[in-house]
């Protein structure tokens, strides 16, 4: 056997790179989204063992909705990609190109077993550039074909070494073959078919049997005229080992899928649910369709489902002629290869085995699959096709007069295929380019119209997407998914009435529930989302909440393991304030999937509503164990720790907020709460930095501006607080606490009673019953030495808050002052400064018990009380007053922060709270 030279390896690798280098600029499209972007098994936080428990798409194999495609080794390579580059598509495409080059080199090595050096290289070159491979190479999920092919070819090469020079059995290669077959099967199911290829090789190539010889030998043995020759016994022994190993793999595979076939619908494969003879005629017609794609890959399409290929419903359908011609040609090739012993026959039989055997699992002839035609499954069969083409080239080139023509034809074929492959790669650049290119080939596939609509929907181009979705409903009027897409798009366009009508049409197309039968056996599980979508739409109307709940329960009755129905119903029940039922819904969903971080997170929200913060924190932590970067769990668990008031939680809360801002660097809320934590820890410089960051990201950030002003006020930087308060009041002129704080600073630090008075009067214009603003205005009157007006003001304040002792006490002080001044013959109201000498000290003494209003009492959340702050004559009194003032400011800060915490929950979960945002 001739080895593969380095020059040939470089030639093949260079050609592969030349054909596929532009695939590196392609993104994740079509099935890549489910297999890569939405597959949690790629994340390092997911245990490795999950790869061997879940299907190719990350769905547990035990679930009915699982696709039952078990390819853990392929998913493992995706996980390695994620480890090095996360979701950078270029690295995934690069590895696919490298793997394709490896397959080409291995294929050349296999070809050297049956072809001469030149024709085997021709076969490998044709395989390297064939356009039918673009789906397997440029589509990331096609890696399953690439990896399976590598192990398949390696297993076959290992098996060819299982016969020694003396025709004895060499067992290590056979053992290696079994291991490689298992690996190929763990990459993709069709890898197991290499066992059949090895059997064909052993019987018709290694042992040199023809079909007549084989039949004659078996007949002789059955008649007892002769025993098995020793060589035949050795062959039987090897084949028995292979077959038993294969059966074990099949048994294990069946156990993995729990003896259940995946659920497919007539939309995926219309012929699979058709009656006889339509089903048989159509499936047999698909064989020449696939053969034609290998012969003439000019019109390639990423999706051949639904109405792409009309059903063959009659024996007089002219397409049956194509089926007949295909079988005649295949029969002639098989007859030639099985009847004669020359090398040409051996080449043809090996080519046919590579075409036929790996294609059987996808042929629909023995069991239905989820597609009509799929170009990627022709990756291995194309190897046999390339061997046949190269063999034909060999025969023609040996005829002197046709040698130049044969070389010219091969040159043209390789060139055109290279160009076609290169241009076909651009179709896979994005979902929009992929599906629009498919529509050029086939306009009768509603799925393609839907997928172009999805691509436009992802670009927020809803109006244009709607046109494609509506066209899908015209192409396939009974396509439930298309009507669901129309409804969803109308909803995005804020056309609720039209959306509901579209959902009702989709719902009317659903089969009726048959008691005692599993709904999933008759309809695709994702079609059940019509109940979820319709319920989500109508529950926006508070008068239709029970109707929405009925839809959720209907979906659950159809499919008791419908996890999303429990999740959505839990949200609705929370909105309806049925907290216990909401908790039970989430607990039921967790029974179905305990590895879902979102479920633990939603349960934590229910715990918060049930006033159980410790249980909420525990469930937030569950969510973060499953997904350490779960943004909402990070944020809200940190917020819960922060609002607990327990300093022991602050370091962990700080760490979670820091992780959150790494994930969401443009969200001002994260920086704001970091600032609040820093204020709690008296880290004023850090608090100022975080607040400034939050304000820089969100101009007019109400709570950040107010708390920054509070920070400055607490730090005795009242002058710095004023411009912050001005900015706050510019964006939020109704911010009462901001006006109170500004008035306090103006009156007590800037000695600007006029400015303070304007602040408090502004509060009372907005809220005439605001006790704090009213009381502070009374203090201004006192500062202005208008005692009668201060008295009237305090009387009015006491009428508003008759239970507020401090107002009553201040009124008593003012009246005492008035009585003393009247007794001394002093005027009760003065606008000038005469006689201020002795009075000034006395006024200070009186003010000591009246001034200092500026902040809320901690026991009230409605701003109905004011804190009392005094200014004493002694150093001790001054220090005591400053402590009280700082404590009062702190209480005001806590009130503001509590309101903000509620706001954040409303902001993130508006569906859970029926009220308006603050």
């Amino acid at each position: 056997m001739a080895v593969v030279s380095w020059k040939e390896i470089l030639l093949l690798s260079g050609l592969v790179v030349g054909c596929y280098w532009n695939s590196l600029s392609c993104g994740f499209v079509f099935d890549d989204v489910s297999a890569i972007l939405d597959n949690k098994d790629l994340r390092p936080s997911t245990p490795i063992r999950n790869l061997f428990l879940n299907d190719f798409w990350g769905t547990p194999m035990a679930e009915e909705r699982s696709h039952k495609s078990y390819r853990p080794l392929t998913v493992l390579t995706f996980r390695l990609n994620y480890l090095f580059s996360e979701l950078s598509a270029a690295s995934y495409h690069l590895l696919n190109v490298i793997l394709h080059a490896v397959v080409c080199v291995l294929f050349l090595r296999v070809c050297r077993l049956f072809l001469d050096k030149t024709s085997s290289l021709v076969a490998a070159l044709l395989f390297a550039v064939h356009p039918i491979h673009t789906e397997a190479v440029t589509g990331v999920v096609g890696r399953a074909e690439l990896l399976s092919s590598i192990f398949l070819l390696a297993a076959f090469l290992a098996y060819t070494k299982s016969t020694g020079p003396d025709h004895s059995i060499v067992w290590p290669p056979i053992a290696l073959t079994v291991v490689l077959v298992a690996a190929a099967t763990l990459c993709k199911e069709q890898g197991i078919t290499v066992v059949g290829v090895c059997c064909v090789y052993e019987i018709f190539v290694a042992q040199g049997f023809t079909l007549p010889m084989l039949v004659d030998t078996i007949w002789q043995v059955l008649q007892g005229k002769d025993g098995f020759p020793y060589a035949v016994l050795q062959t039987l022994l090897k084949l028995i080992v292979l077959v038993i190993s294969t059966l074990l793999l099949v048994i294990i595979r069946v156990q993995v899928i729990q003896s259940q076939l995946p659920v497919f619908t007539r939309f995926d494969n219309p012929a699979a649910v058709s009656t006889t003879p339509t089903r048989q005629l159509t499936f047999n017609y698909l064989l020449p369709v696939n053969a034609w794609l290998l012969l003439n890959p000019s019109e390639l399409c990423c999706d051949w489902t639904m109405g792409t290929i009309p059903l063959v419903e009659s024996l007089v359908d002219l397409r049956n002629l194509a089926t007949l011609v295909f079988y005649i040609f295949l029969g002639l090739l098989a007859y030639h290869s099985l009847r004669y012993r020359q090398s040409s026959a051996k080449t043809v039989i090996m080519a046919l085995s590579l075409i036929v055997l790996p294609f059987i699992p996808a042929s629909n002839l023995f069991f239905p699959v989820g597609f009509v035609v799929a170009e990627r499954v022709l990756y291995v069969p194309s190897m046999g096709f390339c061997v046949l083409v190269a063999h034909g080239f060999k025969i023609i080139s040996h005829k002197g007069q046709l040698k130049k023509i044969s070389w010219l034809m091969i040159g043209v074929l390789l060139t055109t295929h290279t160009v076609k492959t290169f241009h076909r790669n651009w179709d896979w650049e994005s979902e929009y380019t992929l599906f629009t290119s498919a529509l050029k080939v086939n306009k009768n596939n509603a799925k393609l119209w839907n997928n172009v609509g999805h691509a436009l929907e992802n670009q927020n181009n809803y109006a244009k997407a709607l046109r494609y979705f509506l066209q899908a409903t015209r192409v396939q009027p009974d396509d439930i998914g298309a009507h669901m897409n129309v409804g969803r798009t109308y909803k995005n366009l804020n056309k609720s009435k039209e959306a509901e009508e579209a959902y009702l049409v989709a719902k009317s197309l659903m089969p009726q529930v048959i008691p005692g039968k599993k709904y999933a056996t008759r309809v695709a599980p994702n079609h059940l989302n019509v109940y979820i979508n319709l319920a989500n739409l109508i529950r926006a109307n508070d008068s239709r909440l029970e109707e929405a709940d009925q839809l959720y329960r209907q979906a659950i009755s159809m499919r008791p393991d419908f996890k999303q129905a429990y999740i959505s119903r839990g949200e609705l029940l929370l909105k309806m304030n049925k907290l216990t039922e909401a908790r039970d819904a989430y607990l039921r969903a967790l029974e179905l999937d305990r590895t879902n971080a979102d479920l633990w997170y939603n349960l934590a929200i229910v715990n918060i509503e049930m006033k159980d913060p410790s249980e909420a924190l525990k469930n937030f932590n569950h969510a973060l164990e499953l997904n350490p970067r779960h943004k909402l769990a990070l944020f809200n668990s940190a917020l819960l720790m922060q609002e607990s008031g327990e300093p022991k939680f602050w370091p962990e809360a700080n760490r979670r907020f820091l992780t959150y801002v790494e994930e969401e660097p443009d969200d001002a809320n994260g920086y704001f709460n970091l600032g609040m934590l820093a204020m709690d820890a008296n880290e004023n410089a850090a608090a100022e930095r975080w607040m400034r960051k939050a304000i820089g990201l969100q101009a007019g950030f109400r709570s950040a501006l107010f708390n920054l002003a509070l920070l400055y006020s607490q730090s005795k930087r009242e002058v710095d607080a004023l411009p912050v308060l001005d900015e706050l009041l510019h964006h939020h002129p109704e911010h009462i606490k901001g006006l109170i704080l500004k008035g306090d600073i103006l009156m007590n630090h800037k000695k600007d009673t006029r400015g303070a008075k304007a602040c408090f009067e502004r509060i009372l214009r907005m809220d005439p019953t605001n006790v704090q603003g009213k009381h502070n205005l009374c203090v201004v009157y006192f500062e202005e030495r208008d005692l009668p007006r201060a008295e009237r003001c305090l009387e009015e304040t006491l009428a508003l808050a008759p239970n507020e002792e401090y107002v009553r006490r201040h009124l008593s002080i003012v009246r005492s002052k008035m009585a003393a001044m009247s007794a001394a013959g002093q005027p009760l109201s003065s606008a000038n400064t005469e006689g201020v000498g002795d009075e000034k000290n006395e006024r200070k003494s009186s003010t000591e018990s009246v001034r200092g209003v500026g902040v809320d009492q901690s026991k009230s959340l409605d701003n109905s009380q004011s804190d009392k702050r005094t200014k004493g004559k002694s150093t001790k009194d001054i220090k005591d007053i400053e402590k009280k003032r700082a404590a009062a400011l702190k209480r005001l800060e806590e009130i503001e922060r509590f309101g903000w915490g509620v706001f954040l929950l409303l902001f993130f979960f508006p569906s859970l709270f029926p009220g308006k945002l603050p």
Side-chain angles (χ1 to χ4, degrees), residues 779-792:
V779 175
V780 172
Y781 295 150
F782 188 86
E783 287 286 325
E784 292 177 341
R785 288 171 287 173
D786 191 345
L787 298 184
R789 195 171 185 183
E791 181 186 27
R792 289 194 303 272

Side-chain angles (χ1 to χ4, degrees), residues 204 208-213 332-347 349:
F204 297 105
F209 279 102
T210 63
L211 187 59
M213 290 172 58
L332 290 173
L333 285 175
Y335 176 82
H336 167 78
S337 60
L338 293 173
R339 188 171 181 81
Y340 303 105
R341 297 188 65 178
Q342 64 264 39
S343 62
S344 176
K346 294 179 180 179
T347 300
I349 192 62

Side-chain angles (χ1 to χ4, degrees), residues 706 709-710 713 718 721-730 733 735-760 762-763 776 780 853-855 869 885 889 892:
F706 179 73
L710 273 177
S713 182
E718 288 82 1
L722 282 176
V724 177
L725 288 168
D726 288 338
E727 184 179 352
L728 169 67
L729 295 171
H730 170 74
H735 197 289
I736 290 177
K737 288 191 285 290
L739 287 167
I740 288 173
L741 183 58
K742 182 179 179 181
D744 173 66
I745 293 172
L746 290 174
M747 182 169 64
N748 294 322
H749 298 278
K750 301 290 286 184
K751 306 304 180 184
D752 183 1
T753 53
R754 182 177 298 177
K757 184 177 182 180
C759 290
F760 302 137
R762 186 169 160 186
I763 292 171
N776 288 7
V780 172
V853 234
V855 291
R869 199 179 42 163
R885 178 176 175 275
L889 287 170
L892 180 58

Side-chain angles (χ1 to χ4, degrees), residues 571-602:
E571 293 175 358
L572 176 67
L573 292 168
L574 192 55
K575 182 177 182 179
M576 297 169 71
N577 203 32
K578 297 181 178 180
L579 302 181
T580 303
E581 291 181 55
R583 182 192 61 195
D584 292 343
Y586 286 130
L587 289 173
R588 174 67 181 116
L590 281 168
E591 290 176 10
L592 299 171
D593 182 8
R594 297 190 68 81
T595 63
N596 189 318
D598 293 333
L599 280 174
W600 290 106
Y601 170 78
N602 289 352

Side-chain angles (χ1 to χ4, degrees), residues 192-207:
I192 202 169
T193 60
V194 70
V195 173
V197 177
C198 292
C199 291
V200 172
Y201 170 81
E202 180 65 34
I203 296 170
F204 297 105
V205 177
Q207 299 302 324

Side-chain angles (χ1 to χ4, degrees), residues 200-466:
V200 172
Y201 170 81
E202 180 65 34
I203 296 170
F204 297 105
V205 177
Q207 299 302 324
F209 279 102
T210 63
L211 187 59
M213 290 172 58
L214 184 62
V215 172
D216 184 62
T217 301
I218 295 173
W219 180 250
Q220 293 292 332
V221 172
L222 290 176
Q223 287 186 325
K225 295 180 180 180
D226 196 4
F228 281 110
Y230 180 70
V232 175
L233 288 174
Q234 285 191 312
T235 298
L236 279 175
L237 183 58
K238 288 202 293 186
L239 295 183
I240 288 171
V241 171
L242 279 181
V243 170
I244 291 176
S245 301
T246 303
L247 288 175
L248 287 174
L249 286 174
V250 170
I251 291 171
I252 293 171
R253 183 68 173 84
V254 171
Q255 289 297 316
V256 166
I257 67 173
Q258 300 185 356
S259 303
Q260 295 177 338
L261 289 175
V263 178
F264 299 120
T265 69
R266 58 190 176 87
F267 300 112
D268 299 316
N269 191 345
V273 295
S274 300
T275 58
T276 302
T278 300
R279 181 170 65 253
Q280 290 77 14
L281 292 175
T282 303
F283 283 156
N284 280 280
Y285 171 67
L286 295 179
L287 301 178
V289 170
N290 282 280
W292 182 248
L293 287 174
L294 290 173
L295 282 168
N296 180 31
S298 59
E299 292 188 338
L300 299 177
C301 181
C302 63
D303 194 311
W304 295 79
T305 56
M306 302 188 86
T308 302
I309 299 176
L311 298 174
V312 182
E313 299 178 307
S314 170
L315 291 171
V316 297
D317 193 312
L318 291 177
R319 290 176 292 173
N320 289 319
L321 292 175
T323 305
L324 183 61
V325 170
F326 171 80
Y327 276 115
I328 290 172
F329 181 73
L330 187 66
L332 290 173
L333 285 175
Y335 176 82
H336 167 78
S337 60
L338 293 173
R339 188 171 181 81
Y340 303 105
R341 297 188 65 178
Q342 64 264 39
S343 62
S344 176
K346 294 179 180 179
T347 300
V348 173
I349 192 62
M350 290 309 303
L352 288 177
S353 68
L354 284 170
I355 292 174
V356 175
L357 295 175
F359 185 71
I360 285 176
S363 66
N364 281 292
L365 295 177
F366 298 99
F367 49 83
V369 293
F371 53 83
V372 179
V373 173
E375 294 164 11
R376 63 182 177 274
V377 303
L378 293 174
Y379 189 78
V380 177
S382 69
M383 294 178 185
F385 171 79
C386 292
V387 170
L388 286 179
V389 172
H391 185 54
F393 163 77
K394 174 186 174 183
I395 295 172
I396 295 174
S397 64
H398 285 173
K399 300 181 183 295
Q401 67 274 23
L402 297 177
K403 183 174 182 179
K404 291 184 178 179
I405 294 176
S406 64
W407 276 105
L408 177 62
M409 291 175 63
I410 284 295
V412 171
L413 184 65
L414 292 174
T415 302
T416 54
H417 276 27
T418 300
V419 173
K420 171 65 177 177
T421 298
F422 185 81
H423 281 283
R424 174 64 174 157
N425 289 333
W426 290 122
D427 292 341
W428 291 80
E429 185 176 16
S430 68
E431 294 206 321
Y432 181 77
T433 58
L434 179 64
F435 296 125
T436 52
S437 71
L439 280 177
K440 295 174 185 176
V441 176
N442 171 36
K443 290 182 170 58
N444 296 321
N445 186 339
K447 190 174 179 180
L448 293 175
W449 292 100
N450 280 320
N451 284 332
V452 174
H454 287 310
L456 292 167
E457 191 178 31
N458 291 335
Q459 300 170 10
N460 296 324
N461 191 346
Y462 299 120
K464 191 174 180 181
L466 180 62

